[in-house]
Amino acid sequence: MGSEDSGLYRCKAEAATPRITKMSRVSRVLVQRIPVSDVNLEIQPPGGQLIEGENLVLICSVAAGTGNITFSWHKEGTSLGRKTQRSLLAELRVPAVQKRDTGRYYCAADNNHVPILSKRITVTVRIPVSHPVLTFRTPRAQAVVGDVVGLHCEALGGSPPILYQFYHEDVILGNILAPSGGGASFNLSLTAEHSGNYSCAANNGLGAQRSEVVALSITDPKLLPLKLKYISWLSGNSRRRIVLMTTGVTGGLLLILVFAATWLYRIKSQKKPGFAVKIVAT
C-alpha cells in the first residue's frame, strides 16, 4: 500500500439466480507514509582518503520510510545529483576523482515530508608525487674543494607532506621533510671525494619517485698548482707578448701546444736570426 491508495472502498455481492445484487457500506481507507529517518552517508573506499584517479561511491540510506524516497547528494552546498526510487538506499558514483573533488559531502532524503540531512564526511583526494628535479647551487661555475654547494630537490606535483632524500652514488646523504609541499635543500661542504653522481627521491606515502642523475665535478687547487702566466717571443727587431691566464690541466695542455708551435716556428724561421721564446710559469 502506498499513500496513493488512500480513498473510499466498498464491495459488491451478486447472486447468480435470481439476480440479486447487494453493495456494502463505503469504508474510508487512509494510507499514511512513514517519514524517512536516520539518514546516513557512507563512502567507498572507506576512510575518506582517495588517490587521484580512483572512483568515489556515495551511498545514502535511511533507517525507515515508505513510498518513493528522493535521495540527493551534495558537496559543500553544490548539488551532485538526485534519484527517486522505492528503496531505502541509493548510491551515486563519482568517477576518476581529482584534487578539486576534495571537500565535505552529505546527502538528503525525503518522501514528501521535510528533507532529512545526513552528517558530513570529509573526502581528501591525494596526488602521488611527480619525478623530482635535482639542481645544484654553487658559488662559482667550477666548484672547488671547500665550497658550500646547495642541493635542491623539488617535485612539482604531489600532495604534502613530502619526504626528500639526497643521494651521492646511491649513498644517502640526508632526509628532509617538507610538511607543506614544495622543494627541499641540502647543503654540502665539498671535499675531493664529493665528485661524482648525485640524485634525489621524493615520497608522500603513495610511492617514491627518483630524479635523474646529475654529475658534479670538483677541482682541488692543491693538486693542480701550475699557472702559465705569459709567453713572449722576439723576432728580429720586434717583440710581442701574449698573456695567458689558466690553471690546472688546461695550463699543462696549453704549455704543450706552445712548445709545439714554437718548434714549428723555429723550423720555418731558421734563416731569420734573433728569434727567442720566453715562457714564464709558476
PDB file of all heavy atoms in Angstrom, residues 225-232 242-248 250-256 258-259 277-282:
ATOM      1  N   PRO A 225      98.755  22.869  -9.289  1.00  0.00           N
ATOM      2  CA  PRO A 225      99.303  24.184  -8.951  1.00  0.00           C
ATOM      3  C   PRO A 225      99.842  24.975 -10.125  1.00  0.00           C
ATOM      4  O   PRO A 225     100.182  26.140  -9.970  1.00  0.00           O
ATOM      5  CB  PRO A 225     100.447  23.807  -8.008  1.00  0.00           C
ATOM      6  CG  PRO A 225     100.918  22.478  -8.519  1.00  0.00           C
ATOM      7  CD  PRO A 225      99.701  21.781  -9.037  1.00  0.00           C
ATOM      8  N   LEU A 226      99.989  24.389 -11.301  1.00  0.00           N
ATOM      9  CA  LEU A 226     100.654  25.059 -12.419  1.00  0.00           C
ATOM     10  C   LEU A 226      99.802  26.199 -12.946  1.00  0.00           C
ATOM     11  O   LEU A 226      98.635  26.025 -13.260  1.00  0.00           O
ATOM     12  CB  LEU A 226     100.945  24.069 -13.543  1.00  0.00           C
ATOM     13  CG  LEU A 226     101.630  24.638 -14.777  1.00  0.00           C
ATOM     14  CD1 LEU A 226     103.013  25.196 -14.411  1.00  0.00           C
ATOM     15  CD2 LEU A 226     101.747  23.600 -15.856  1.00  0.00           C
ATOM     16  N   LYS A 227     100.413  27.381 -13.070  1.00  0.00           N
ATOM     17  CA  LYS A 227      99.739  28.532 -13.657  1.00  0.00           C
ATOM     18  C   LYS A 227     100.668  29.149 -14.690  1.00  0.00           C
ATOM     19  O   LYS A 227     101.739  29.637 -14.377  1.00  0.00           O
ATOM     20  CB  LYS A 227      99.404  29.588 -12.600  1.00  0.00           C
ATOM     21  CG  LYS A 227      98.380  29.132 -11.577  1.00  0.00           C
ATOM     22  CD  LYS A 227      98.022  30.252 -10.627  1.00  0.00           C
ATOM     23  CE  LYS A 227      96.976  29.807  -9.642  1.00  0.00           C
ATOM     24  NZ  LYS A 227      96.611  30.883  -8.713  1.00  0.00           N
ATOM     25  N   LEU A 228     100.266  29.118 -15.919  1.00  0.00           N
ATOM     26  CA  LEU A 228     101.051  29.695 -17.004  1.00  0.00           C
ATOM     27  C   LEU A 228     100.687  31.171 -17.112  1.00  0.00           C
ATOM     28  O   LEU A 228      99.559  31.521 -17.408  1.00  0.00           O
ATOM     29  CB  LEU A 228     100.745  28.970 -18.316  1.00  0.00           C
ATOM     30  CG  LEU A 228     101.609  29.341 -19.512  1.00  0.00           C
ATOM     31  CD1 LEU A 228     103.055  28.973 -19.241  1.00  0.00           C
ATOM     32  CD2 LEU A 228     101.095  28.657 -20.745  1.00  0.00           C
ATOM     33  N   LYS A 229     101.663  32.034 -16.832  1.00  0.00           N
ATOM     34  CA  LYS A 229     101.345  33.452 -16.745  1.00  0.00           C
ATOM     35  C   LYS A 229     101.431  34.147 -18.097  1.00  0.00           C
ATOM     36  O   LYS A 229     100.513  34.832 -18.507  1.00  0.00           O
ATOM     37  CB  LYS A 229     102.291  34.132 -15.752  1.00  0.00           C
ATOM     38  CG  LYS A 229     102.091  33.643 -14.321  1.00  0.00           C
ATOM     39  CD  LYS A 229     103.053  34.318 -13.369  1.00  0.00           C
ATOM     40  CE  LYS A 229     102.775  35.800 -13.284  1.00  0.00           C
ATOM     41  NZ  LYS A 229     103.607  36.475 -12.287  1.00  0.00           N
ATOM     42  N   TYR A 230     102.555  33.998 -18.776  1.00  0.00           N
ATOM     43  CA  TYR A 230     102.617  34.647 -20.089  1.00  0.00           C
ATOM     44  C   TYR A 230     103.711  34.012 -20.922  1.00  0.00           C
ATOM     45  O   TYR A 230     104.596  33.322 -20.418  1.00  0.00           O
ATOM     46  CB  TYR A 230     102.847  36.160 -19.961  1.00  0.00           C
ATOM     47  CG  TYR A 230     104.193  36.536 -19.390  1.00  0.00           C
ATOM     48  CD1 TYR A 230     105.315  36.682 -20.227  1.00  0.00           C
ATOM     49  CD2 TYR A 230     104.349  36.784 -18.034  1.00  0.00           C
ATOM     50  CE1 TYR A 230     106.536  37.035 -19.700  1.00  0.00           C
ATOM     51  CE2 TYR A 230     105.567  37.142 -17.511  1.00  0.00           C
ATOM     52  CZ  TYR A 230     106.666  37.267 -18.352  1.00  0.00           C
ATOM     53  OH  TYR A 230     107.870  37.625 -17.834  1.00  0.00           O
ATOM     54  N   ILE A 231     103.610  34.246 -22.214  1.00  0.00           N
ATOM     55  CA  ILE A 231     104.599  33.786 -23.196  1.00  0.00           C
ATOM     56  C   ILE A 231     105.002  34.998 -24.018  1.00  0.00           C
ATOM     57  O   ILE A 231     104.148  35.785 -24.440  1.00  0.00           O
ATOM     58  CB  ILE A 231     104.014  32.713 -24.131  1.00  0.00           C
ATOM     59  CG1 ILE A 231     103.522  31.516 -23.308  1.00  0.00           C
ATOM     60  CG2 ILE A 231     105.044  32.264 -25.147  1.00  0.00           C
ATOM     61  CD1 ILE A 231     102.773  30.508 -24.136  1.00  0.00           C
ATOM     62  N   SER A 232     106.290  35.130 -24.233  1.00  0.00           N
ATOM     63  CA  SER A 232     106.729  36.231 -25.091  1.00  0.00           C
ATOM     64  C   SER A 232     107.792  35.714 -26.046  1.00  0.00           C
ATOM     65  O   SER A 232     108.501  34.748 -25.752  1.00  0.00           O
ATOM     66  CB  SER A 232     107.307  37.371 -24.234  1.00  0.00           C
ATOM     67  OG  SER A 232     108.481  36.940 -23.567  1.00  0.00           O
ATOM     68  N   ILE A 242     102.085  37.535 -25.419  1.00  0.00           N
ATOM     69  CA  ILE A 242     100.706  37.071 -25.227  1.00  0.00           C
ATOM     70  C   ILE A 242     100.561  36.694 -23.771  1.00  0.00           C
ATOM     71  O   ILE A 242     101.359  35.917 -23.234  1.00  0.00           O
ATOM     72  CB  ILE A 242     100.374  35.849 -26.110  1.00  0.00           C
ATOM     73  CG1 ILE A 242     100.496  36.226 -27.588  1.00  0.00           C
ATOM     74  CG2 ILE A 242      98.978  35.328 -25.808  1.00  0.00           C
ATOM     75  CD1 ILE A 242     100.221  35.065 -28.507  1.00  0.00           C
ATOM     76  N   VAL A 243      99.575  37.223 -23.113  1.00  0.00           N
ATOM     77  CA  VAL A 243      99.330  36.910 -21.718  1.00  0.00           C
ATOM     78  C   VAL A 243      98.239  35.848 -21.638  1.00  0.00           C
ATOM     79  O   VAL A 243      97.154  36.011 -22.198  1.00  0.00           O
ATOM     80  CB  VAL A 243      98.891  38.170 -20.944  1.00  0.00           C
ATOM     81  CG1 VAL A 243      98.622  37.813 -19.477  1.00  0.00           C
ATOM     82  CG2 VAL A 243      99.971  39.244 -21.039  1.00  0.00           C
ATOM     83  N   LEU A 244      98.548  34.721 -20.953  1.00  0.00           N
ATOM     84  CA  LEU A 244      97.603  33.612 -20.826  1.00  0.00           C
ATOM     85  C   LEU A 244      97.325  33.382 -19.357  1.00  0.00           C
ATOM     86  O   LEU A 244      98.244  33.179 -18.568  1.00  0.00           O
ATOM     87  CB  LEU A 244      98.180  32.342 -21.437  1.00  0.00           C
ATOM     88  CG  LEU A 244      98.577  32.434 -22.911  1.00  0.00           C
ATOM     89  CD1 LEU A 244      99.259  31.165 -23.339  1.00  0.00           C
ATOM     90  CD2 LEU A 244      97.355  32.704 -23.754  1.00  0.00           C
ATOM     91  N   MET A 245      96.088  33.385 -18.979  1.00  0.00           N
ATOM     92  CA  MET A 245      95.701  33.127 -17.602  1.00  0.00           C
ATOM     93  C   MET A 245      94.902  31.834 -17.580  1.00  0.00           C
ATOM     94  O   MET A 245      93.810  31.757 -18.137  1.00  0.00           O
ATOM     95  CB  MET A 245      94.838  34.271 -17.047  1.00  0.00           C
ATOM     96  CG  MET A 245      95.541  35.617 -17.039  1.00  0.00           C
ATOM     97  SD  MET A 245      96.997  35.615 -15.996  1.00  0.00           S
ATOM     98  CE  MET A 245      96.262  35.349 -14.406  1.00  0.00           C
ATOM     99  N   THR A 246      95.405  30.772 -16.942  1.00  0.00           N
ATOM    100  CA  THR A 246      94.701  29.490 -16.874  1.00  0.00           C
ATOM    101  C   THR A 246      95.231  28.709 -15.694  1.00  0.00           C
ATOM    102  O   THR A 246      96.195  29.103 -15.056  1.00  0.00           O
ATOM    103  CB  THR A 246      94.878  28.686 -18.177  1.00  0.00           C
ATOM    104  OG1 THR A 246      94.091  27.508 -18.092  1.00  0.00           O
ATOM    105  CG2 THR A 246      96.341  28.306 -18.398  1.00  0.00           C
ATOM    106  N   THR A 247      94.632  27.623 -15.388  1.00  0.00           N
ATOM    107  CA  THR A 247      95.055  26.819 -14.246  1.00  0.00           C
ATOM    108  C   THR A 247      94.965  25.352 -14.584  1.00  0.00           C
ATOM    109  O   THR A 247      94.293  24.945 -15.515  1.00  0.00           O
ATOM    110  CB  THR A 247      94.148  27.071 -13.020  1.00  0.00           C
ATOM    111  OG1 THR A 247      92.830  26.687 -13.358  1.00  0.00           O
ATOM    112  CG2 THR A 247      94.207  28.516 -12.576  1.00  0.00           C
ATOM    113  N   GLY A 248      95.634  24.550 -13.795  1.00  0.00           N
ATOM    114  CA  GLY A 248      95.459  23.107 -13.805  1.00  0.00           C
ATOM    115  C   GLY A 248      95.823  22.452 -15.108  1.00  0.00           C
ATOM    116  O   GLY A 248      96.803  22.789 -15.773  1.00  0.00           O
ATOM    117  N   THR A 250      94.355  22.518 -17.926  1.00  0.00           N
ATOM    118  CA  THR A 250      94.310  23.405 -19.092  1.00  0.00           C
ATOM    119  C   THR A 250      95.653  24.080 -19.299  1.00  0.00           C
ATOM    120  O   THR A 250      96.149  24.218 -20.421  1.00  0.00           O
ATOM    121  CB  THR A 250      93.218  24.474 -18.904  1.00  0.00           C
ATOM    122  OG1 THR A 250      91.994  23.816 -18.628  1.00  0.00           O
ATOM    123  CG2 THR A 250      93.096  25.319 -20.137  1.00  0.00           C
ATOM    124  N   GLY A 251      96.275  24.501 -18.188  1.00  0.00           N
ATOM    125  CA  GLY A 251      97.592  25.139 -18.306  1.00  0.00           C
ATOM    126  C   GLY A 251      98.622  24.180 -18.859  1.00  0.00           C
ATOM    127  O   GLY A 251      99.458  24.552 -19.692  1.00  0.00           O
ATOM    128  N   GLY A 252      98.608  22.920 -18.422  1.00  0.00           N
ATOM    129  CA  GLY A 252      99.571  21.950 -18.926  1.00  0.00           C
ATOM    130  C   GLY A 252      99.409  21.700 -20.407  1.00  0.00           C
ATOM    131  O   GLY A 252     100.377  21.629 -21.175  1.00  0.00           O
ATOM    132  N   LEU A 253      98.160  21.553 -20.850  1.00  0.00           N
ATOM    133  CA  LEU A 253      97.900  21.324 -22.280  1.00  0.00           C
ATOM    134  C   LEU A 253      98.332  22.525 -23.104  1.00  0.00           C
ATOM    135  O   LEU A 253      98.895  22.398 -24.198  1.00  0.00           O
ATOM    136  CB  LEU A 253      96.409  21.032 -22.490  1.00  0.00           C
ATOM    137  CG  LEU A 253      95.900  19.718 -21.887  1.00  0.00           C
ATOM    138  CD1 LEU A 253      94.396  19.610 -22.084  1.00  0.00           C
ATOM    139  CD2 LEU A 253      96.592  18.529 -22.530  1.00  0.00           C
ATOM    140  N   LEU A 254      98.034  23.716 -22.587  1.00  0.00           N
ATOM    141  CA  LEU A 254      98.409  24.918 -23.318  1.00  0.00           C
ATOM    142  C   LEU A 254      99.927  25.030 -23.428  1.00  0.00           C
ATOM    143  O   LEU A 254     100.465  25.439 -24.461  1.00  0.00           O
ATOM    144  CB  LEU A 254      97.834  26.144 -22.608  1.00  0.00           C
ATOM    145  CG  LEU A 254      98.056  27.483 -23.312  1.00  0.00           C
ATOM    146  CD1 LEU A 254      97.474  27.441 -24.716  1.00  0.00           C
ATOM    147  CD2 LEU A 254      97.423  28.601 -22.507  1.00  0.00           C
ATOM    148  N   LEU A 255     100.627  24.628 -22.390  1.00  0.00           N
ATOM    149  CA  LEU A 255     102.095  24.683 -22.414  1.00  0.00           C
ATOM    150  C   LEU A 255     102.646  23.764 -23.490  1.00  0.00           C
ATOM    151  O   LEU A 255     103.564  24.105 -24.229  1.00  0.00           O
ATOM    152  CB  LEU A 255     102.642  24.290 -21.039  1.00  0.00           C
ATOM    153  CG  LEU A 255     104.153  24.462 -20.831  1.00  0.00           C
ATOM    154  CD1 LEU A 255     104.549  25.922 -21.046  1.00  0.00           C
ATOM    155  CD2 LEU A 255     104.556  23.986 -19.456  1.00  0.00           C
ATOM    156  N   ILE A 256     102.051  22.571 -23.618  1.00  0.00           N
ATOM    157  CA  ILE A 256     102.486  21.636 -24.667  1.00  0.00           C
ATOM    158  C   ILE A 256     102.257  22.236 -26.043  1.00  0.00           C
ATOM    159  O   ILE A 256     103.089  22.159 -26.941  1.00  0.00           O
ATOM    160  CB  ILE A 256     101.741  20.306 -24.510  1.00  0.00           C
ATOM    161  CG1 ILE A 256     102.168  19.636 -23.193  1.00  0.00           C
ATOM    162  CG2 ILE A 256     102.022  19.384 -25.688  1.00  0.00           C
ATOM    163  CD1 ILE A 256     101.367  18.401 -22.864  1.00  0.00           C
ATOM    164  N   VAL A 258     102.127  25.327 -26.819  1.00  0.00           N
ATOM    165  CA  VAL A 258     103.076  26.434 -27.041  1.00  0.00           C
ATOM    166  C   VAL A 258     104.424  25.901 -27.508  1.00  0.00           C
ATOM    167  O   VAL A 258     105.029  26.408 -28.450  1.00  0.00           O
ATOM    168  CB  VAL A 258     103.216  27.272 -25.762  1.00  0.00           C
ATOM    169  CG1 VAL A 258     104.394  28.242 -25.890  1.00  0.00           C
ATOM    170  CG2 VAL A 258     101.927  28.042 -25.511  1.00  0.00           C
ATOM    171  N   PHE A 259     104.906  24.845 -26.846  1.00  0.00           N
ATOM    172  CA  PHE A 259     106.176  24.260 -27.265  1.00  0.00           C
ATOM    173  C   PHE A 259     106.109  23.740 -28.698  1.00  0.00           C
ATOM    174  O   PHE A 259     107.038  23.914 -29.494  1.00  0.00           O
ATOM    175  CB  PHE A 259     106.569  23.133 -26.305  1.00  0.00           C
ATOM    176  CG  PHE A 259     107.246  23.626 -25.063  1.00  0.00           C
ATOM    177  CD1 PHE A 259     106.685  23.404 -23.812  1.00  0.00           C
ATOM    178  CD2 PHE A 259     108.453  24.320 -25.134  1.00  0.00           C
ATOM    179  CE1 PHE A 259     107.306  23.845 -22.669  1.00  0.00           C
ATOM    180  CE2 PHE A 259     109.080  24.769 -23.976  1.00  0.00           C
ATOM    181  CZ  PHE A 259     108.506  24.540 -22.746  1.00  0.00           C
ATOM    182  N   VAL A 277     112.165  32.464 -27.586  1.00  0.00           N
ATOM    183  CA  VAL A 277     110.876  32.232 -26.917  1.00  0.00           C
ATOM    184  C   VAL A 277     111.115  32.238 -25.428  1.00  0.00           C
ATOM    185  O   VAL A 277     112.045  31.589 -24.931  1.00  0.00           O
ATOM    186  CB  VAL A 277     110.248  30.892 -27.322  1.00  0.00           C
ATOM    187  CG1 VAL A 277     108.973  30.661 -26.516  1.00  0.00           C
ATOM    188  CG2 VAL A 277     109.952  30.894 -28.815  1.00  0.00           C
ATOM    189  N   LYS A 278     110.302  32.967 -24.685  1.00  0.00           N
ATOM    190  CA  LYS A 278     110.399  33.013 -23.249  1.00  0.00           C
ATOM    191  C   LYS A 278     109.074  32.585 -22.620  1.00  0.00           C
ATOM    192  O   LYS A 278     108.028  33.148 -22.917  1.00  0.00           O
ATOM    193  CB  LYS A 278     110.745  34.431 -22.786  1.00  0.00           C
ATOM    194  CG  LYS A 278     110.930  34.515 -21.266  1.00  0.00           C
ATOM    195  CD  LYS A 278     111.270  35.943 -20.884  1.00  0.00           C
ATOM    196  CE  LYS A 278     111.466  36.039 -19.377  1.00  0.00           C
ATOM    197  NZ  LYS A 278     111.756  37.405 -18.955  1.00  0.00           N
ATOM    198  N   ILE A 279     109.113  31.555 -21.786  1.00  0.00           N
ATOM    199  CA  ILE A 279     107.914  31.050 -21.111  1.00  0.00           C
ATOM    200  C   ILE A 279     108.111  31.227 -19.611  1.00  0.00           C
ATOM    201  O   ILE A 279     109.081  30.748 -19.048  1.00  0.00           O
ATOM    202  CB  ILE A 279     107.664  29.559 -21.432  1.00  0.00           C
ATOM    203  CG1 ILE A 279     107.483  29.373 -22.941  1.00  0.00           C
ATOM    204  CG2 ILE A 279     106.460  29.053 -20.661  1.00  0.00           C
ATOM    205  CD1 ILE A 279     107.353  27.956 -23.350  1.00  0.00           C
ATOM    206  N   VAL A 280     107.216  31.898 -19.004  1.00  0.00           N
ATOM    207  CA  VAL A 280     107.297  32.130 -17.572  1.00  0.00           C
ATOM    208  C   VAL A 280     106.123  31.397 -16.926  1.00  0.00           C
ATOM    209  O   VAL A 280     104.977  31.657 -17.256  1.00  0.00           O
ATOM    210  CB  VAL A 280     107.225  33.617 -17.218  1.00  0.00           C
ATOM    211  CG1 VAL A 280     107.284  33.806 -15.700  1.00  0.00           C
ATOM    212  CG2 VAL A 280     108.383  34.337 -17.900  1.00  0.00           C
ATOM    213  N   ALA A 281     106.444  30.443 -16.059  1.00  0.00           N
ATOM    214  CA  ALA A 281     105.394  29.650 -15.399  1.00  0.00           C
ATOM    215  C   ALA A 281     105.639  29.633 -13.923  1.00  0.00           C
ATOM    216  O   ALA A 281     106.753  29.685 -13.462  1.00  0.00           O
ATOM    217  CB  ALA A 281     105.374  28.229 -15.961  1.00  0.00           C
ATOM    218  N   THR A 282     104.548  29.523 -13.136  1.00  0.00           N
ATOM    219  CA  THR A 282     104.658  29.410 -11.678  1.00  0.00           C
ATOM    220  C   THR A 282     103.798  28.258 -11.209  1.00  0.00           C
ATOM    221  O   THR A 282     102.848  27.900 -11.881  1.00  0.00           O
ATOM    222  CB  THR A 282     104.198  30.718 -11.009  1.00  0.00           C
ATOM    223  OG1 THR A 282     102.842  30.939 -11.347  1.00  0.00           O
ATOM    224  CG2 THR A 282     105.036  31.887 -11.423  1.00  0.00           C
TER     225      THR A 282
END
